[in-house]
Amino acid sequence: MVIVHSYKRWDISRDVYVTTRLKGTPNYITSIRGEIMLNTAEDVDPSRIDDQGRYDPEPLRRHASAGAPASTQRAPVSQGLFASKHSRRYHRE
């Protein structure tokens, strides 16, 4: 068995953390300058890991689009996590 983890990496061009549904080996995550997300370790069969060290826990279905959908997370700014002066929630009219 091989241990894989969920991970995130910083996308400097968008100024956000990017995650996917893929998991990776620690070597793969290090190679892309990613960060292992805590409590996401999973033992998988080595045959399920690709040549780069990635594992897809949800293999694509026939009708699904190619690639793993990415999600983003803005970097925290002081104590107002994810809040900006442009946010509707914090904007006063």
Side-chain angles (χ1 to χ4, degrees), residues 28-56:
Y28 170 73
I29 296 168
T30 300
S31 75
I32 63 166
R33 296 184 179 175
E35 296 178 32
I36 292 174
M37 297 172 69
L38 298 177
N39 302 317
T40 62
E42 182 178 345
D43 287 327
V44 298
D45 188 284
S47 66
R48 303 281 315 270
I49 297 174
D50 70 11
D51 293 341
Q52 294 181 5
R54 299 175 299 185
Y55 163 70
D56 189 348

Side-chain angles (χ1 to χ4, degrees), residues 55-68:
Y55 163 70
D56 189 348
E58 301 172 23
L60 293 176
R61 296 175 191 92
R62 283 187 298 159
H63 62 281
S65 61

